[in-house]
Each structure stands twice: as structure tokens, then as C-alpha cells.
Amino acid sequence: MSSLQFNAVLLAISTQLSAKELENLKFLCIDIIGKRQRDDVKTGVQLFQLLMERGKLGADNTKFLSDSLIHINRHDLSNKLNNFESQCEITDDQPDDDEKAKLDVATEVIAEHLGRSWRKLGRRLGLNDVKLDSISKRHPTELEETTRELLKEWRKRQGAEARTAQLIQALRACTLNLTADKVEDRLASP
């Protein structure tokens, strides 16, 4: 899904918000957006832009807005947003089934063994610090879930080009050889 499609979903949501619902959404953003900027917001689109600028909203980061829409009893709009995110994950740009199976195995092994070095691996795989911070905020205390989220994001970015060999190479480049060995061992065993 392109950013144009994501923006189209946000536009559709914005047009379906009443003035009262927009005020309620702005109230839910009280800790994120300052009073002056909140007062200047007259449309959902303007609010969504501020949330994007603050890293609280993106095509791969819809949880805050989705939860906020539920809090103002607009489950229909939350579902629309969640349906968009689900469609993003199902794309034709995926590795073949054999490679997907290997990537799933590698993801499990890496999540089990990586620990606190997940950020180092993320940088080696080409994710920027903003994305890494976003992943960290979603799972602040669960390292395995943080690692799974990191690898999910990497796979989404790589699309059909995602390969287990790239993961193993990145692990070794980060001197995480034990984890790389465990991935290779698990892939070699039937």
C-alpha cells in the first residue's frame, strides 16, 4: 500500500468526524500536542498531520489513532483504519513460500536469543533510529516482541528480496555469531 492510499484512508476518516468527535480526539492528544496547536486544529486531517509529525501515526503505526477512535465510540472508523493496516501486510511483494518458511524460523530463533542487541541488529538491517524508537515504544519491556516487530518491519521493507542469508550476515556483522549459528542449526534440522 502506498502513502497515497494511507492518506486517502485518513481523509475518509476525517470527513466522517463530527465537530464534537474532533474535539474529543483533540482532548485525547493533550499530552502529545500543545494547546496552541490543538486550538488551531479545525479538521481531522490537520490533527492527523500533527500526529504524523510526532511519530504517533503512520501507515505502519496506526495503534494510537485506532485506540483513540474507539475511545470516542467510532469503532467503524477504527475498523477502517485497521483494515488498511491488514491490507498493507498482505502484499504480492513477498518471498516465495520456501523462503517465507525459512524467514519465519529465523524470526523465532532470533527473537528467542537476541535480547538487548535488537537495536544494533536493526541498524545493521537498515532501519533508522526513528523507526527503532517507534518499535521500542510499542513493546518497552518485552525484548522478544520488540525483536519480532523489528524483523516484521525489515521483512515489510525488503518485500520479495528478504532472505534468511541477509539476516545471518547481519547477525555476524554485529558479532552475534551464537545467534547466527542457532539460526543456521535450526534451518538445517528437519
Side-chain angles (χ1 to χ4, degrees):
M1 293 282 167
S2 69
S3 63
L4 175 64
Q5 290 167 312
F6 178 64
N7 291 342
V9 170
L10 293 180
L11 182 61
I13 290 171
S14 176
T15 60
Q16 295 178 41
L17 290 171
S18 69
K20 177 74 173 150
E21 290 167 337
L22 180 60
E23 284 302 313
N24 290 341
L25 279 177
K26 287 165 49 175
F27 177 76
L28 292 173
C29 296
I30 206 165
D31 292 332
I32 300 166
I33 301 170
K35 182 178 178 359
R36 183 174 297 154
Q37 285 186 310
R38 272 195 330 273
D39 289 344
D40 291 342
V41 169
K42 304 295 182 221
T43 66
V45 168
Q46 291 172 328
L47 180 64
F48 302 154
Q49 286 174 325
L50 291 172
L51 290 173
M52 284 190 263
E53 289 171 7
R54 285 159 179 76
K56 287 291 192 177
L57 179 62
D60 60 343
N61 183 16
T62 60
K63 183 169 177 23
F64 178 79
L65 180 56
S66 178
D67 290 348
S68 297
L69 290 167
I70 289 170
H71 287 305
I72 66 165
N73 293 317
R74 286 306 302 264
H75 298 272
D76 59 324
L77 297 180
S78 177
N79 289 339
K80 182 180 281 204
L81 191 59
N82 291 334
N83 288 341
F84 168 81
E85 192 167 36
S86 296
Q87 289 174 354
C88 282
E89 293 172 5
I90 303 169
T91 64
D92 294 334
D93 193 27
Q94 294 287 321
D96 60 44
D97 290 340
D98 185 47
E99 189 62 33
K100 279 173 74 171
K102 289 179 182 178
L103 285 166
D104 291 343
V105 169
T107 297
E108 285 306 309
V109 174
I110 293 169
E112 290 171 11
H113 296 94
L114 189 62
R116 294 186 177 168
S117 299
W118 70 270
R119 201 176 276 272
K120 183 189 225 184
L121 179 64
R123 286 190 189 103
R124 177 59 67 175
L125 292 172
L127 278 71
N128 62 34
D129 285 333
V130 173
K131 179 55 68 181
L132 295 174
D133 289 341
S134 171
I135 291 168
S136 177
K137 287 176 185 170
R138 283 184 243 162
H139 306 285
T141 59
E142 297 182 31
L143 292 175
E144 280 191 36
E145 287 305 313
T146 303
T147 302
R148 279 189 183 82
E149 191 78 26
L150 162 75
L151 295 174
K152 176 182 168 187
E153 181 62 33
W154 173 76
R155 286 174 70 168
K156 190 165 36 169
R157 287 176 183 238
Q158 291 295 307
E161 303 301 313
R163 297 286 178 264
T164 52
Q166 291 171 303
L167 287 176
I168 292 168
Q169 182 180 11
L171 287 166
R172 294 203 185 284
C174 294
T175 63
L176 299 166
N177 292 314
L178 182 60
T179 305
D181 291 343
K182 287 182 184 282
V183 170
E184 289 175 336
D185 291 346
R186 183 84 57 92
L187 289 173
S189 65

